[in-house]
Structure formats: C-alpha cells, structure tokens
Amino acid sequence: MLVARPDDEKALSLADELSIFLEERGHSIICENKTSIALGNGDGIDISSLKGDAAVVIGGDGTVLHTVRQLENQIPIIGINRGRVGFLTDIEPEEAKEYLLKIEAGNYAIEKRMRLSLSVDGEYIGQALNEAVIVSSRPAKILQLTINIDHVPAERFRADGVIISTATGSTGYAMSAGGPIVDPWIDGFLIVPLAPYYLSSRPHLISSKRRLRVELDSTKPADLVVDGQHIMEVFNGNVLSIEKSQKPALFINAGKNFFAKVDSKLKTL
C-alpha cells in the first residue's frame, strides 16, 4: 500500500516513482484514496479494512499517524521522511529503493509500538499512537483535572490541560511540554501537565498495567485531541479512561537507533 501526503508535490512524485519501481518488480500496489486522487488516478480505496503485506508512507509523522488511525487491521509500516523531523519516518527519500529491496528480500524485523485505547464515560472513542490531550479550548483559561490511578486519586492540579502519551509520543508534544524522552520499548503511560499552576505538578511515567482515569473538574470549555487528528468536546465531570490497546502499531525496523535519532533530529534543530 502506498500513502503520500496529498498536499506535498515531492511526496506525491516519490510515491509515483516508487509505485512504478515496485510494479516493475512484480508487486501489486494499492494507493490510499487521497493519494490516488492527488496523483490524478481517480478514487483509491478505503484502507480501514485492508490486509496487506506492508504500507509505504511518504510524508511526516502526521501522515504516519493518520495512516495508523485509518487502519482497522494494523499492517507493517515503513515511513519515508518528507516532513521536518520525522521520528516515525526513518528512511530518507534517497534511501527508499534500497530499503524496499531489503523488505522484498525479507531482511527486516517488525517492531510493535504500544497504542492507547480511549473511552469517555465508558464509550469507546478510538486509539492513539502518540497521545491524547485534554486542553482548554479558550486561551488563558485554566482547567482543573484529577488523575486517578488504580481507582485512587493520585493528583489534582490546575493547568491548561494534560497530555497522556505513549513512549512513542514522548518525542512529540509531551517533550515540548517538558516531559522526558522515553525509550519506545517501554510500555507505559506518560502523564504531562500543560503549564501547571503549581510547581509540584510534575510529569509521571506509570506502567501500562495500571488503570488510568482523567476527570475534568471544570466548567470551562475543553477539547480532547487524539494524535492531533481527532478533536471532540469534553465537559465538566467527563472521565477519560486510558488502557493499553490490544492492537499495537506495526513498524518495519529500518535499523536506525532511537538514541542516535534523538541526537541527530532534536539536538541540531
């Protein structure tokens, strides 16, 4: 399957080039709907129930998050970087064909990345690979939130909001908000308050085996944002429940060391 950022001409051009390259090598190629339309090939397919060998995603981390969110049945993803940082897109465009040949030869491993399964007041709303964020929908209006861990109120604080992140998402919004960088092999929930009013409100990293609930104790308007892709209003008394998903995202391991990526992508910007 090929997915490219539909508003990036270079990403679309590379998708077209790789499609020809793979078809000439005898592979069947399916283009995601928006990619197909942007390439001028008419409607593609709804990839939600697709069962394929691999997905080649060309764009930035947002394109990868969008693809993972669309896939009901997770298939292995290889990301080709056409974004700015690209923690989920390991391969640079000039490396793409070389890595696709390695995949063709079976010289790869698949890495599982934990996702969050999310419910509001007991109603399932979806899954997140990076994070779920409860944030004030009005600037400079502070929310009050209660964090419950294993049914015990662990912390109450006032802040602009809170980020519940996976280890994968720790290099995204959570890091920008002052959270730690977490080894992606760790299964856990990273809790990062957004601009907390009290200095004692610090990030927490807890086991994914815990039962985690976040209650909004505020009459001020707020939004729940999932992976920066999906937004819904939440209200006073709503409870966000977070569990480890039974369907992890699957990535083809391109052999790029995570800590080397941190050094090269974050320390030189």
Side-chain angles (χ1 to χ4, degrees):
M1 181 178 71
L2 275 175
V3 182
R5 180 171 170 167
D7 60 350
D8 186 318
E9 288 299 325
K10 290 184 178 179
L12 291 169
S13 176
L14 181 58
D16 196 36
E17 179 184 344
L18 293 180
S19 177
I20 294 169
F21 172 75
L22 290 168
E23 285 178 339
E24 287 178 345
R25 298 190 64 81
H27 299 288
S28 298
I29 304 300
I30 297 171
C31 279
E32 175 263 347
N33 192 46
K34 290 182 180 179
T35 303
S36 184
I37 292 171
L39 287 171
N41 297 329
D43 289 344
I45 66 163
D46 175 6
I47 66 172
S48 61
S49 58
L50 178 69
K51 294 181 180 179
D53 296 312
V56 179
V57 180
I58 307 167
D61 286 354
T63 312
V64 174
L65 292 170
H66 178 69
T67 303
V68 171
R69 184 173 177 81
Q70 282 187 288
L71 288 168
E72 182 177 332
N73 301 305
Q74 294 298 306
I75 61 176
I77 287 173
I78 184 75
I80 300 173
N81 187 29
R82 281 294 311 159
R84 293 193 63 185
V85 179
F87 259 93
L88 299 176
T89 51
D90 280 344
I91 307 304
E92 295 304 318
E94 61 273 15
E95 301 174 307
K97 291 181 181 178
E98 175 189 350
Y99 272 90
L100 290 176
L101 290 175
K102 288 181 180 179
I103 294 170
E104 180 184 70
N107 298 327
Y108 67 93
I110 294 174
E111 183 177 337
K112 295 180 180 180
R113 293 289 186 95
M114 189 190 101
R115 293 197 293 163
L116 307 176
S117 181
L118 307 168
S119 302
V120 173
D121 294 344
E123 182 178 348
Y124 173 76
I125 61 163
Q127 305 199 32
L129 174 59
N130 264 10
E131 75 278 302
V133 182
I134 294 178
V135 62
S136 173
S137 56
R138 293 173 59 188
K141 293 296 182 180
I142 292 178
L143 303 176
Q144 183 155 313
L145 300 134
T146 300
I147 306 293
N148 289 280
I149 300 174
D150 291 342
H151 306 293
V152 175
E155 187 169 2
R156 294 184 178 92
F157 57 85
R158 299 175 67 206
D160 286 353
V162 64
I163 301 170
I164 309 296
S165 169
T166 62
T168 297
S170 72
T171 51
Y173 193 6
M175 182 190 69
S176 299
I181 294 172
V182 182
D183 186 334
W185 288 4
I186 291 176
D187 280 1
F189 305 129
L190 176 58
I191 306 167
V192 183
L194 282 170
Y197 186 74
Y198 297 112
L199 294 176
S200 58
S201 299
R202 308 307 304 158
H204 289 62
L205 178 62
I206 66 171
S207 168
S208 62
K209 295 178 182 179
R210 301 283 189 183
R211 296 179 63 85
L212 177 60
R213 307 288 184 269
V214 181
E215 183 175 354
L216 180 61
D217 301 321
S218 176
T219 57
K220 297 181 178 67
D223 291 322
L224 171 62
V225 185
V226 181
D227 275 346
Q229 309 277 328
H230 174 71
I231 302 175
M232 64 175 285
E233 285 187 287
V234 286
F235 303 95
N236 185 35
N238 282 165
V239 177
L240 172 65
S241 300
I242 302 101
E243 297 179 352
K244 177 182 175 179
S245 170
Q246 298 304 306
K247 294 182 177 181
L250 305 176
F251 286 88
I252 292 173
N253 189 331
K256 303 292 182 77
N257 182 274
F258 171 74
F259 300 101
K261 285 196 294 182
V262 169
D263 185 62
S264 64
K265 292 178 180 286
L266 295 181
K267 295 183 181 179
T268 58
L269 292 178

